[in-house]
Amino acid sequence: MLKKLFKYDFIWINKIMIIYYIILLVISILTKTVESMNQTFLLLIIDKILSSMFIGCAISVIITTFMRIWARFLVNNYKDESYLTHTLPVTKNQIFNSKILAGITSILISTLVIVGCIALIYLNANNWEFLKAMFESLVQAYSKFTAVSYIVGLIVLVILELFYIMFAGILGLVIGHRSNNHKILKSVIFGFISYMVLLVLSFVIVGITSSFTDSSLIYNGFPPVSTMKAIGLTFVIIYIIYNISHYLLAKHLFNKGVNVE
């Protein structure tokens, strides 16, 4: 049954996102086409306009993805649809996990679409050589394994951060809708506080952790390996703990009962 719930949640979230993806892809192709032409003053202006449109559309894709995930959780669990949702022969765990899985999958798809469009526009011979030079600098400063680990760690951190935003919003919705009035306002407040407090705490913990390493040394313009490892591992561990704790707390509160409007 979880598979069927996931299918309906995923389709509901992404039936609008497909339009955003197509628009982003079209803008990317137009931008790439203009940039590949001999640059005149007019084409330069068009290029700047298209580049700005691309950035704005990419941001819209991320924001809309979160809004669709939260809207699906809200509408399906607390609004008119909830009367059907909570009478289905499924557990609250299945309902909750379906929303989480659909949200995680949607975030990953949106991220891949944006990264793919960025590569389509900017990954030419010159930029590829620049990226290779940056990677070689990391290899010379550390080692190939450390350089690859650093890049993978950054990618993991970005993904964990996106998941954290989703979980903070869902936890805010669950807490806010346990009250009898001003549910949406309280949901936004609780979600924002949850995100900001733990974000500040993250930097405090990372600052304390990095203070135990020798960060005064600089190798070829890069911090020492010990500092890089300490900061990177600390951030990854913190965000994993945040995501798991938000998931467990939100699911626990959700299972205690839903106050349907």
Side-chain angles (χ1 to χ4, degrees):
M1 194 62 185
L2 177 61
K3 184 178 180 181
K4 291 183 179 179
L5 290 173
F6 169 80
K7 182 182 72 173
Y8 290 125
D9 290 333
F10 179 80
I11 292 174
W12 193 96
I13 292 171
N14 290 280
K15 62 184 178 181
I16 298 298
M17 295 310 304
I18 293 176
I19 299 175
Y20 281 80
Y21 298 154
I22 293 174
I23 293 174
L24 186 64
L25 179 61
V26 170
I27 294 175
S28 302
I29 294 173
L30 291 175
T31 304
K32 181 68 173 181
T33 302
V34 170
E35 290 189 351
S36 64
M37 300 169 66
N38 293 328
Q39 293 295 298
T40 63
F41 180 72
L42 178 60
L43 287 177
L44 183 61
I45 294 176
I46 295 174
D47 179 34
K48 296 300 181 183
I49 294 173
L50 288 173
S51 297
S52 299
M53 290 175 62
F54 173 78
I55 294 173
C57 190
I59 294 173
S60 295
V61 166
I62 290 296
I63 293 176
T64 305
T65 300
F66 286 125
M67 297 302 294
R68 295 289 294 178
I69 293 170
W70 295 329
R72 179 58 176 173
F73 192 88
L74 173 64
V75 171
N76 199 239
N77 289 320
Y78 298 104
K79 299 296 183 179
D80 291 341
E81 288 185 14
S82 62
Y83 292 99
L84 174 61
T85 301
H86 299 296
T87 56
L88 293 172
V90 295
T91 64
K92 282 187 169 58
N93 273 338
Q94 290 175 320
I95 294 173
F96 185 86
N97 289 334
S98 172
K99 305 293 185 294
I100 297 301
L101 290 174
I104 288 174
T105 307
S106 299
I107 289 172
L108 291 176
I109 292 174
S110 293
T111 303
L112 287 174
V113 170
I114 292 173
V115 171
C117 289
I118 291 174
L120 174 63
I121 297 174
Y122 299 107
L123 197 58
N124 52 36
N126 292 333
N127 290 333
W128 180 249
E129 290 300 321
F130 173 77
L131 292 175
K132 288 174 62 177
M134 288 293 295
F135 179 74
E136 290 299 326
S137 297
L138 283 173
V139 172
Q140 292 176 8
Y142 305 116
S143 66
K144 187 173 183 179
F145 176 78
T146 304
V148 172
S149 300
Y150 175 67
I151 295 171
V152 172
L154 284 177
I155 295 172
V156 171
L157 275 178
V158 171
I159 294 174
L160 289 175
E161 169 70 16
L162 294 174
F163 291 166
Y164 176 41
I165 295 173
M166 179 193 73
F167 280 120
I170 288 177
L171 179 60
L173 286 170
V174 173
I175 295 176
H177 281 78
R178 292 182 65 81
S179 62
N180 294 321
N181 49 58
H182 305 297
K183 296 179 181 180
I184 296 298
L185 177 60
K186 290 178 180 178
S187 297
V188 173
I189 293 173
F190 282 124
F192 181 76
I193 291 175
S194 171
Y195 177 79
M196 291 305 300
V197 169
L198 294 181
L199 185 64
V200 172
L201 181 61
S202 300
F203 284 100
V204 172
I205 294 174
V206 169
I208 294 173
T209 302
S210 61
S211 67
F212 290 100
T213 64
D214 189 3
S215 57
S216 62
L217 299 176
I218 300 294
Y219 301 108
N220 296 330
F222 296 99
V225 176
S226 59
T227 301
M228 297 286 285
K229 287 183 177 179
I231 294 175
L233 286 175
T234 302
F235 260 124
V236 170
I237 292 172
I238 287 173
Y239 275 105
I240 289 175
I241 293 174
Y242 284 177
N243 286 325
I244 293 176
S245 62
H246 275 57
Y247 165 76
L248 293 176
L249 179 58
K251 186 169 72 170
H252 172 71
L253 295 175
F254 185 79
N255 283 332
K256 289 180 69 174
V258 176
N259 187 7
V260 177
E261 295 183 8

